[in-house]
Amino acid sequence: MIYPWHKTQWQHINQLLEADRLPHGMLLVGNQGLGKFDFAIAMANAVLCQQPLSDHQACGRCKACQLLAAETHPDFHHLAPKAAATSKSKNPVLSIRIDDIRALCEKLNQTSLYGGYRVAIIEQAEYMTISAANSLLKTLEEPGQNVLLILTTSRPHRLPVTIRSRCQLLRFSVPEESTALDWLNSRQPSQTTDQQLRQALKYAGGAPLSALTQLDQAEHQEILSEAMTASISGKNSLEYAAKLAKFAKINTLEGMISWASDLSRIFACGPDTSIINEQYRSKLQALANKANKQRLYRFHEQLNFNLQHSSIAVNEQLLWENLLLSWDNI
């Protein structure tokens, strides 16, 4: 799917296809929630379609498009992070392993059954293990004729330089707020207020698809907000650790970062500065009045460390207890 904020990127792909200069490897980079995977699917459909439209988008009607819609096209392959087969954890560590990459490369080395492109999408490519990334290098270096590898990532720094250097970069940016709000309005019930949409967009860092998810995750936001304001409200924040363990670790870490960032902004720019958690401004101001800047900076470092190592399995209840204690002691 091509979203309204993808126009520039699709124009670039259209020009490459017109000039017959589509590279064999492309790296789609941008914040989570900008629709990079949907764009990658649109690219795959475009090169596999037998009767593409004038702007090279897939026709949606030919035999190839029908097979793609049914997820049965023999020349299209998709890899995404998954848990180990032996994992029994409720929140397992996700990764893309060397066996997955080897199997993918073997398929790409086979002859196309439709006489055209062979396409593979590696979603969230930063989850490749080092051995998996090294295994992919040979195919990126010697891909064979009419092979297209599309990698998507929101954390390109976690990909080896050798992988990044062998792909053409296509960057996705946060759209204008008006564009994002128009799109969100078209997909939300009429009772959703403009204020709710704007707040969801703030939580999502301006990414429309993440904002849509935020609107569906009101329970998570409520529990996190109660945990982060517990010390001001006279409650015990540790009581929320078990509740937070029900939700995705990365979402909670990113939510905590928004609170720490708001507190930093109030410190640096005063009580009227723009913040993400606007409805909790008074409580954030109360926290700022008693907080210590050095402890706040150390809390930021804790959050960033855990975000960078989010793929490592930990006891999440203990993680949230530790972070909430640090937040309460700022």
Side-chain angles (χ1 to χ4, degrees), residues 208-229:
L209 297 181
S210 292
L212 201 59
T213 302
Q214 291 285 345
L215 290 166
D216 293 332
Q217 293 180 344
E219 181 188 5
H220 180 221
Q221 289 300 329
E222 183 179 353
I223 291 172
L224 179 60
S225 299
E226 288 180 8
M228 300 302 277
T229 58

Side-chain angles (χ1 to χ4, degrees), residues 234-259:
K235 298 177 182 178
N236 182 0
S237 65
L238 296 185
E239 293 178 359
Y240 295 93
K243 296 178 182 179
L244 290 172
K246 297 189 304 179
F247 304 102
K249 181 165 61 172
I250 288 179
N251 291 348
T252 302
L253 287 169
E254 290 177 342
M256 286 184 168
I257 285 174
S258 77
W259 281 82

